[in-house]
Structures are given as C-alpha cells and as structure tokens.
Amino acid sequence: MKDFDIDSLVRPNILALSPYSTARDECDKTLGIFLDANESPWPSGWNRYPDPHQKVLKSRISEVKGVPAANIFVGNGSDEAIDVLMRVFCEPGRDNIVAICPSYGMYTVAAQINNVEVREVDLDEEFGLRADAMLEACDSNTKQMLVCSPNNPSGNAFSTSELLGLAARFNGLLVVDEAYTDFSDEPSLRWEACTAPNIVVLQTLSKAWGMAALRLGLCFATERVIGLMSSVKYPYNINAAAQKLALEQLERDITGEVSEIRSERVRLAGILPEFGFVRRVYRSDANFILVKVDDPDGLYAHLLEDGIIVRNRNKVRGCAGCLRITVGLKAENEKLIESLERYEKGRIC
Ligand SMILES: *Cc1c(COP(=O)(O)O)cnc(C)c1O
C-alpha cells in the first residue's frame, strides 16, 4: 500500500472544524433524569433525541458485515454519504471528480449542488472500465473517482484487481458504490476500505435488505475518513424510528430472497433474447437487467399500458435503445413475460 496522506485531500475548513457536540455526548447514561436537551418529559415513545452515533445500529451492522463499527458511517441513504464525501473533500469552484458514464445520476447531482466539476469518462462498448482514460482525465484538483460496481444501469461488476489497480494509480479517493453487491459474485471491497487510505466503499440497506423506505446508506472507510464524515453530517441524521426498525429488519435472513432474485435474473436473461425485438441482453451482477430493443419508447409505453413500470434509459449516453428492468417476484416476472409476448404478437400482425 502506498504512503498516502489522506488529510492532504481534505478541505482546510473541514480539517479545522470542531463538530457540534450534542447535549448527550458528554455523558452516555441511558438511565437518569434528563433535563439537558429541552425535550418533552412526556413519554410518547419518541420524545427523546436519537443516538447521534447510532451505536447499537452500528454494532449490529458490524456483525452483519464483518467490519469494525469504527469503520462504518451510516447515512440518510447513500445519497447522504455521497454528499458528505463531496463536502469533506471537494472545494467548491476548484476541485473536480471523475465519474464513469453511464452510471448512477446521484454523483453528478451531488457534485453540481456542491459546485464541483464532474469529468465523465465513457465506459467501453461492453461497459468495461477504461482505467487509463480515467487517470488521464484527472488533474491535481481531482479529489475523487466514483465507480459503481455492479454498475447501475449497465448491471456488470468490475473485477477486484481492476479496482485495486485503479486505486493504486490514483492520488485521490476511489469511491466504490456497491449498492448491488449482495447480488454479485464479485467480492466486496469493504475490508480493503477499512485499511487502504484511499478506498471508500458505499453500500445501502435499500436494495437486497429491503429497507428503501427507511433511508439507510452505509459507508466503509478508514477510521480517519469515518471521523471526518461524522464531523460533517447532521448530528441526528438517522432518526430513532429508522434506527429501531432497521435493527429489527437486520435480524432477518435475506439469503433466500437474494438467491431467488438471482435465479429469476438468470431465468429472465435466458428468456429475453428469444424475443425478436430484443437486440441485446447485457450481463448483470445486480437485481436488474439492461436490455437493448428495437423501439425502446414504444415498448416502454406498451408495458406501461399493462401496468408494468420499467426504467427507460434510451436517452442516457451509452444506453441508446435500452430499458432497465428490475427483477421482481416470480409472478411479477411472469406478467412481464406475458406482456412482452403480447407486444411481439402485436408487432407481427
Ligand atoms: C439504489 C442505489 C443506491 C441506494 O441509494 P440509497 O440512497 O441508499 O437508497 C446507491 N447507489 C446506486 C448506484 C443505486 O443504484
């Protein structure tokens, strides 16, 4: 691992920050008479402020993910983690980030909100990473590279060796968004992120864990990076209801659900190419499949008529002709296939 001073990448105002300390930071008592935070004394069940450090939740996530709690940041969705990373490392109006294209739109939105330039580097024809082109796009103000793996919307995962090779050649932070890692055979980089100074891994409880409504994003990084992110986040970023309900959900065993989605993905990927209007079914390591078809807008409208909503990616650079279809329950996927059969018949007549 290279000698790397992460603090040299951090905005000076963030390095100088003395974070807001909450009333309860000074004592960690859970029993007593709390007259410190101007809360209501009437027990509604929700009258006390939540734990700003999410200690109990983080210790459960630590067990589930096999990563020390000190290497975990919990955000109000991955969106918050992406925004906090932007605010820790990127000086508005000066710094830039490098992102792949096509990929998740939130990186660009977060950068634009923070007045940070985005340098997009196209993936190759097969949605492969062009590491040399990404490094060539960098200058001395490039603070982060954002790589989504498995990538949304293409669905493919990049190899560990490619990603580690990229991090080794980059003098900034490599952020790997593993939102779909549970559906992939490619191993997670979250353990590397705990020790490698310039690798950060994002995950989420929104997808395989089925908690999209609770808004919980995870970030794995060195203790130093986690500390910086924690000093920038809102103190009570994860509300008490989300912490409580997530703890309950994290007791579930999701392996059956994940393996059924994976087998449905394989089944769909086998059936889709049989339709005459399907030009290409891209390899997926996620819970969705990108499909290139003859008339994406027409097919999209047809599915919508049947009450089936997919994501039209036709207008996205690199995705011309493509729809992105989430793998649903077996019965839902059957309805999709029936609708596609009706569409094919209608085109032949
Ligand atoms: C769905 C998704 C997420 C999850 O975002 P949350 O804010 O945690 O719900 C993150 N990254 C990518 C690429 C996604 O597709």
Side-chain angles (χ1 to χ4, degrees), residues 115 232 344:
N115 194 21
V232 166
E344 180 138 86

Side-chain angles (χ1 to χ4, degrees), residues 10 21 46 55 67 70 74 101 104 119-120 143 147-148 168 185 202 213 224 237 247 273 276 306 327:
V10 177
S21 110
W46 306 104
K55 282 201 203 70
V67 164
V74 183
C101 180
Y104 188 46
R119 301 182 173 188
E120 287 189 328
K143 294 298 179 65
V147 178
C148 184
D185 288 330
L202 301 177
R224 177 61 182 155
N237 61 327
L247 273 171
D306 277 355
V327 178

Side-chain angles (χ1 to χ4, degrees), residues 77-79 104 107 148 152 177 179-180 204 206-207 215-217:
S78 306
D79 299 346
Y104 188 46
Y107 315 135
C148 184
N152 178 4
D177 185 344
Y180 300 97
T204 180
S206 296
K207 304 285 157 65
R215 312 304 307 126
L216 292 160

Side-chain angles (χ1 to χ4, degrees), residues 10 22 50 58 71 85 92 125 150 154 189 224 246 254 261 277 297:
V10 177
T22 65
K58 277 187 185 173
N71 297 100
L85 283 168
E125 289 283 294
S154 55
L189 288 178
R224 177 61 182 155
I254 58 164
I261 294 202
F277 56 86
D297 296 343

Side-chain angles (χ1 to χ4, degrees), residues 64-232:
V64 169
K65 295 289 180 180
V67 164
N71 297 100
I72 302 172
F73 170 90
V74 183
N76 190 335
S78 306
D79 299 346
E80 186 190 14
I82 293 165
D83 181 63
V84 165
L85 283 168
M86 212 66 75
R87 287 189 288 146
V88 168
F89 292 101
C90 298
E91 194 63 38
R94 188 194 73 183
D95 291 338
N96 65 73
I97 63 163
V98 167
I100 56 175
C101 180
S103 195
Y104 188 46
M106 197 57 208
Y107 315 135
T108 306
V109 173
Q112 283 170 343
I113 289 169
N114 287 286
N115 194 21
V116 168
E117 180 200 347
V118 183
R119 301 182 173 188
E120 287 189 328
V121 176
D122 289 344
L123 297 171
D124 68 25
E125 289 283 294
E126 297 295 311
F127 295 124
L129 213 54
R130 292 165 60 235
D132 291 339
M134 293 177 73
L135 289 159
E136 276 162 27
C138 296
D139 65 13
S140 59
N141 292 326
T142 305
K143 294 298 179 65
Q144 299 181 45
M145 276 191 192
L146 288 121
V147 178
C148 184
S149 179
N151 187 36
N152 178 4
S154 55
N156 57 310
F158 306 112
S159 74
T160 302
S161 59
E162 259 182 308
L163 294 169
L164 293 181
L166 192 59
R169 295 166 67 194
F170 178 43
N171 287 315
L173 200 64
L174 176 67
V175 180
V176 183
D177 185 344
E178 297 184 347
Y180 300 97
T181 186
D182 304 82
F183 305 104
S184 175
D185 288 330
E186 212 53 65
S188 169
L189 288 178
R190 65 183 181 275
W191 298 284
E192 280 83 354
C194 296
T195 50
N198 73 328
I199 300 178
V200 163
V201 165
L202 301 177
Q203 290 189 8
T204 180
L205 300 184
S206 296
K207 304 285 157 65
W209 277 98
M211 293 185 233
L214 297 183
R215 312 304 307 126
L216 292 160
L218 311 178
C219 178
F220 305 99
T222 58
E223 286 190 38
R224 177 61 182 155
V225 169
I226 296 298
L228 288 161
M229 293 177 75
S230 303
S231 70
V232 166

